[in-house]
Amino acid sequence: MQDHPLRACYPYGGHDIAVELAPEETANPLIGRLLKDLVTALFTADPRCRRVVAAPAEDDAAAQDAFETGGFRRVTEADLPTGTVILFTTEPPWLAELPTALDDMPH
């Protein structure tokens, strides 16, 4: 991930993983379900992974739908040298469930 263009789009960790879909696969209705299984396997394979990220092109609605179905959440748009993308991420449950409200933080 250190050499991936996405590294400039968000505060990446050393064990974060970037995934992408082949254009001919995005219309397959099973892709979303397969992405959920893939993410689970990636987090199991590397417990230090904090985030799996994806960045489909802004005009690739099929890929965006597949990532949302696969449990990724839309974060923001980003301009890369190859064009504008939509940044999607998903995190392991232990990280996603941590409270972030200031009132929940220890004082």
Side-chain angles (χ1 to χ4, degrees):
M1 186 71 205
Q2 285 181 321
D3 298 325
H4 198 286
L6 289 177
R7 73 185 184 287
C9 300
Y10 77 101
Y12 71 93
H15 294 272
D16 290 358
I17 298 170
V19 297
E20 51 188 87
L21 297 174
E24 62 274 7
E25 296 298 327
T26 58
N28 186 330
L30 296 176
I31 292 298
R33 192 170 349 155
L34 293 172
L35 281 169
K36 284 182 182 182
D37 293 342
L38 173 65
V39 166
T40 299
L42 292 172
F43 288 140
T44 300
D46 185 356
R48 296 177 293 175
C49 179
R50 296 180 308 139
R51 197 174 290 121
V52 177
V53 298
E58 71 176 334
D59 61 351
D60 190 346
Q64 293 173 35
D65 289 344
F67 284 114
E68 286 180 341
T69 300
F72 287 71
R73 72 184 157 81
R74 182 186 176 121
V75 177
T76 190
E77 293 180 7
D79 291 323
L80 297 179
T82 57
T84 302
V85 298
I86 307 298
L87 183 65
F88 285 84
T89 67
T90 187
E91 300 167 330
W94 65 265
L95 181 61
E97 294 168 0
L98 288 176
T100 58
L102 290 177
D103 291 342
D104 294 337
M105 301 291 168
H107 296 57

